Amino acid sequence: MAAGIGLLPGIAQAAGPAVPAAQGASSAGATPDAEQKLKGRTFSSPADRTVSTAPSGAKAGGTARTQGAPVAGDQHLSADLYATGEGAHTIDLRTIVSAREYALVDVTIAWGDGTTDTFNTSVMPFGTDLRHTKHKYAAIGSYDVKVTVMDPTTGAEGVNGLTFVTNGTEFTAHEPTRLLDSREGIGTGRAKVGARTSVALKVAGTAKVPAGVTSVVLNVTVTNTTAAGHISVARDKELAEGAETSSLNYVAGQSVPNLVIAPVGDDGYVHLFNAGWASVDLLADVTGYFTPSKAAGYGPVTPTRVVDTREGLGTAKGQVAGYGSFGVQIAGRGGVPQGATAVALNLTVTNPRSAGHLTAYPAGKAAPTTSNLNFTAGQTVANAVIVPIGADGKINIRNGGWNPADVVLDVVGYYTPASRSAFVSAWVPLRTLDTRVNYSWGLRPAGQVPARKPEVMRFEGDTHTPEVDAWAVNTTVTNTTGDGFLSVAPDPNFWSDYENGTAVAPKRPVSSALNWTAGGTVPNLVQTPGGKGGIVDFWNQGWSGIDLIVDLTGYYQTV
C-alpha cells in the first residue's frame, strides 16, 4: 500500500511530544509477560467477618458467633481473605488462617463454581498460616468464595467468604451513539472545555449502556483547537489528570479522533482531561461496552484488507460519491465468521477532494449522526473502529463530505458469542516502548525505528504456547521527517529464534495501522495477535526513521 494511507485528524492515543518519556519503559525483549503487570483489583473479607463455632463441650450460649466474642476453651479459628484477579479467568486467593490455641486444621476453599480445594496446616497459638491458592474459572463472572477452617479433633470451625469478580469481560456491540458534545451541551455544559480541565462523562445508565459496565468503547474527538495539546481518558479524575500517557494529541486548527477502550469507574463515569493550555471542544461516541458476564468474546485475525475503492476490492471500483454510501459483506470474509456481532476494523480515507468525515454503522440501520474519522481535502487519515454487524452480515460506510473520496478497510478482529476470549483492561495504560528514551534494563538504547524495518517486541516470555489471544495497544508515531505508514502484525518466530540467530525474516505486511506525513504526530488504537511466540512486529513502512510509542491498554485471553 502506498504511503499516505493513515490516520485522520482524530482519535489519537499516546502521542509523541505530549507523552512524557516513561521511566523504566520496556522494549524488544524487555516486556516478557506484560499481562502479569496488569493485576486486577483486590477483593477482601476482613477477619472480623469470620463466623466461629465453639468446639465440642465448650460452654457457649449458641452455636455460632462473630469473631471477637471468645468462649471458654474456644480455639477461635479464623480466616482473613484477600483475592486478586490474574488474567481473564484466574483468582489468586490469599488465606491467613489464625488460632488462639495450637491447632492442626483442615482448610476447604469452595470457589463458587461447584469445585473445591483443600489443604492441611498447623497453626501455633496466636500464630498464622499465610498461603496463596490459585483457581481458574471456566467462565468469567461473579463468584461467592467460601473458606472453612476446621479442627477435626475438637470440632472448632471458622468460616469466611468474599465475592470475587473476574478480570475478564466480554463485549456487547452498541449502535454508534453520541454521549458527549461540548458544542451542543450533550453530556456536559454547552461550552468549550477549558485548559487543564476535566469533563466527567456519565456512561453507565446512559443511552442504554447498562450499569455494571467495566470498560466502554468510545470514539473521542477533539475539535476547534487553537493551540497544541493532548487529551487523557481514565476511569477517575485523578488518573486522567495525572496520566503519563495520552489518548489523543492535537495541534492548533486540528480535529482529531481516536478510538479509546476506556475503563469505567465504579460510579459509572469516565473522565476526559484537556491537558492543553487552551480550551477545546470534545466529542465522544459509544460503539460498545464490556461487562464481566457472558456476551461476545474476541476473535483476532492477521490484518486483512477487505475493501479498497481504488482497486475495486470488496465494492465497486471508484471513489465514494459525496454523501454516498456502500455496503460491505463482513461475515464470512477476512476471517470473520458467520454469527459475529461486531467487527474491529482500521478505516482509512485517502484522496478526498474536500473536507468531510466517514461513518461506519450496521447494515439495516439508518446512518447515525456520529463520525468515525474526519478529513480535509487531500488528507490520508485512518482510525480504528468497532462496528456492530447487521443481521445480514454487512456494515455500511458513508462519506459525509461534499465530494468523492477513496476508502480502505482492514479487518483486525471480530466479536462473537462463540468465543470466550475475554478482555482484561489496564486501569492505567502501561508504557511498553518509547524509542525516544533509554530503557532501564539496557536492552534497547534510545533510537528511531529505521526506514522499511520492523520493531520486534515480545509481550510474553520466551513461550511456545502464548496465553494471550490478542493485545490492545495505543501506537503513536512522532518525530517524522517524511511520509509513511505503520503496519502491525504477529511475528512468525519464537524469541529463542532471535537469541540464537535462527529467526526467519518477517514478511512485510500490506495493511496499515496509521499513516503520517512529514512532521506529524499520529496515534491509533491497534488490536493484534502476538504470533506463535507472543511477539508483535511494528513496521516502519516509510523511507525515513521514526520514533514509536506503544502503550498497552489491555489484552484478550481465553485460557
Side-chain angles (χ1 to χ4, degrees):
M1 182 170 106
I5 292 228
L7 178 67
L8 73 98
I11 281 191
Q13 313 230 127
V19 181
Q23 299 300 314
S26 49
S27 175
T31 324
D33 301 315
E35 78 278 7
Q36 296 301 317
K37 298 179 182 293
L38 304 186
K39 295 292 186 181
R41 57 178 173 164
T42 297
F43 303 83
S44 63
S45 182
D48 61 10
R49 287 182 54 193
T50 301
V51 175
S52 300
T53 302
S56 301
K59 297 178 180 180
T63 58
R65 64 190 181 283
T66 59
Q67 182 181 359
V71 170
D74 190 357
Q75 291 168 294
H76 203 76
L77 302 178
S78 66
D80 203 1
L81 311 179
Y82 299 89
T84 303
E86 286 195 357
H89 298 83
T90 300
I91 177 176
D92 180 356
L93 179 67
R94 182 176 65 170
T95 54
I96 305 175
V97 177
S98 60
R100 290 184 176 175
E101 300 177 5
Y102 174 79
L104 183 63
V105 299
D106 297 331
V107 180
T108 301
I109 305 172
W111 296 109
D113 61 354
T115 66
T116 59
D117 278 325
T118 61
F119 64 87
N120 309 108
T121 187
S122 58
V123 186
M124 302 303 291
F126 296 97
T128 60
D129 175 90
L130 185 155
R131 67 182 64 203
H132 290 263
T133 308
K134 294 185 179 182
H135 177 71
K136 184 168 291 185
Y137 292 101
I140 64 170
S142 176
Y143 295 90
D144 292 326
V145 179
K146 177 182 176 182
V147 175
T148 303
V149 183
M150 187 181 76
D151 184 339
T153 301
T154 66
E157 183 177 275
V159 180
N160 207 347
L162 56 78
T163 299
F164 172 77
V165 181
T166 58
N167 282 349
T169 58
E170 294 190 10
F171 180 76
T172 299
H174 191 290
E175 290 185 31
T177 304
R178 182 141 296 170
L179 299 184
L180 174 68
D181 189 340
S182 61
R183 304 168 304 178
E184 302 294 334
I186 299 173
T188 188
R190 187 172 183 175
K192 295 178 79 171
V193 179
R196 313 295 297 175
T197 300
S198 297
V199 172
L201 177 63
K202 183 67 182 302
V203 172
T206 302
K208 298 183 180 180
V209 178
V213 297
T214 55
S215 298
V216 62
V217 180
L218 296 173
N219 198 50
V220 179
T221 303
V222 62
T223 190
N224 296 327
T225 59
T226 58
H230 68 276
I231 306 297
S232 295
V233 183
R235 68 190 305 274
D236 300 316
K237 182 174 184 288
E238 294 76 14
L239 290 176
E241 295 181 353
E244 294 186 355
T245 60
S246 64
S247 298
L248 62 86
N249 288 64
Y250 58 86
V251 298
Q254 262 194 326
S255 292
V256 180
N258 199 20
L259 193 69
V260 176
I261 303 178
V264 178
D266 294 337
D267 59 0
Y269 282 81
V270 298
H271 296 260
L272 300 88
F273 176 58
N274 173 19
W277 294 100
S279 60
V280 300
D281 277 311
L282 285 177
L283 296 77
D285 303 321
V286 61
T287 62
Y289 54 85
F290 292 87
T291 56
S293 56
K294 187 174 181 179
Y298 190 64
V301 301
T302 299
T304 304
R305 181 143 301 166
V306 293
V307 170
D308 191 336
T309 60
R310 300 168 302 179
E311 301 176 1
L313 175 65
T315 188
K317 184 176 181 178
Q319 292 191 313
V320 183
Y323 292 101
S325 62
F326 64 94
V328 183
Q329 182 66 41
I330 290 294
R333 294 186 60 215
V336 180
Q338 300 290 342
T341 56
V343 61
L345 300 164
N346 205 56
L347 172 65
T348 304
V349 63
T350 191
N351 305 319
R353 299 186 189 179
S354 64
H357 64 271
L358 294 183
T359 300
Y361 58 101
K365 303 291 184 178
T369 58
T370 60
S371 63
N372 294 103
L373 63 80
N374 295 68
F375 53 85
T376 58
Q379 264 196 325
T380 295
V381 179
N383 195 28
V385 297
I386 298 176
V387 189
I389 299 174
D392 58 359
K394 295 181 179 181
I395 64 170
N396 293 333
I397 306 297
R398 181 176 184 270
N399 175 12
W402 287 100
N403 290 292
D406 281 308
V407 175
V408 178
L409 281 179
D410 297 315
V411 171
V412 301
Y414 58 88
Y415 297 88
T416 173
S419 172
R420 294 279 72 85
S421 186
F423 180 68
V424 178
S425 173
W427 283 18
V428 178
L430 172 68
R431 176 67 42 86
T432 57
L433 174 68
D434 187 341
T435 61
R436 303 170 299 176
V437 299
N438 290 314
Y439 294 93
S440 59
W441 291 282
L443 294 178
R444 190 195 189 282
Q448 292 195 322
V449 182
R452 315 297 288 177
K453 297 290 184 181
E455 180 75 18
V456 179
M457 293 181 59
R458 63 168 172 164
F459 283 82
E460 296 189 61
D462 187 10
T463 178
H464 287 213
T465 56
E467 294 185 353
V468 171
D469 302 320
W471 302 91
V473 295
N474 196 29
T475 60
T476 302
V477 169
T478 191
N479 296 328
T480 57
T481 58
D483 298 348
F485 65 97
L486 181 76
S487 298
V488 182
D491 188 276
N493 299 287
F494 301 116
W495 191 250
S496 54
D497 296 330
Y498 283 102
E499 291 182 318
N500 60 31
T502 60
V504 299
K507 294 181 63 175
R508 189 182 303 278
V510 297
S511 61
S512 66
L514 61 83
N515 289 65
W516 68 83
T517 56
T521 294
V522 183
N524 202 10
L525 176 71
V526 175
Q527 300 196 116
T528 177
K532 64 181 183 180
I535 304 171
V536 178
D537 297 332
F538 297 82
W539 282 86
N540 173 9
Q541 302 272 39
W543 293 100
S544 58
I546 59 168
D547 277 313
L548 176 64
I549 301 160
V550 179
D551 295 323
L552 177 62
T553 62
Y555 60 89
Y556 296 90
Q557 190 175 52
T558 302
V559 296

